[in-house]
Amino acid sequence: MYSDHVTVARKVRRFSGGVYDLGLHLVWCPKYRRPVLGGRVAERLDELIRQKAEEREWKIIALEVMPDHVHLFVKHDAKSSASYVANQFKGFTSRVLRSEFPHLKSRVPTLWSSSYFAASVGAVSAATVENYINTQWERPRKKDEEARD
């Protein structure tokens, strides 16, 4: 589902304390990176991830379930940390999948490895943000100029 040319429109969300647009690229694997995420398990995992995102009012931008890992690009709320988001998906899906697919209990002691990869994803590049911040003093100040008049 990832593409080098996908553009995600910036859609800021508001809450009482501010405005945000937060996205995460998450990757996690089954314990011992066993290839147990195929067929019906993969289909059900996709459904469960989407269900959890909807429940939390997070927006899935891209999702791929591979036999031995999961890639997810999700937009989340300002109060949820990367670890919280990852653990919400991992905990919920592990509990449901292990109850619905008993063979997962015998193949791995726990469904997911305790680790995961998380990277923030924005609508602009890190270089753009750095340049924006570094050139603040070079920008005209409309309010300052109006106040001086």
Side-chain angles (χ1 to χ4, degrees), residues 74-121:
V74 62
K75 296 281 192 148
H76 62 95
D77 62 284
K79 294 182 181 183
S80 297
S81 67
S83 62
Y84 179 79
V85 174
N87 288 323
Q88 284 293 298
F89 287 117
K90 289 172 65 180
F92 173 66
T93 58
S94 176
R95 190 169 43 259
V96 175
L97 289 175
R98 287 168 60 86
S99 70
E100 293 179 4
F101 299 95
H103 72 277
L104 293 175
K105 289 181 186 176
S106 62
R107 292 285 319 270
V108 287
T110 60
L111 180 57
W112 303 120
S113 163
S114 59
S115 61
Y116 61 89
F117 167 82
S120 60
V121 178

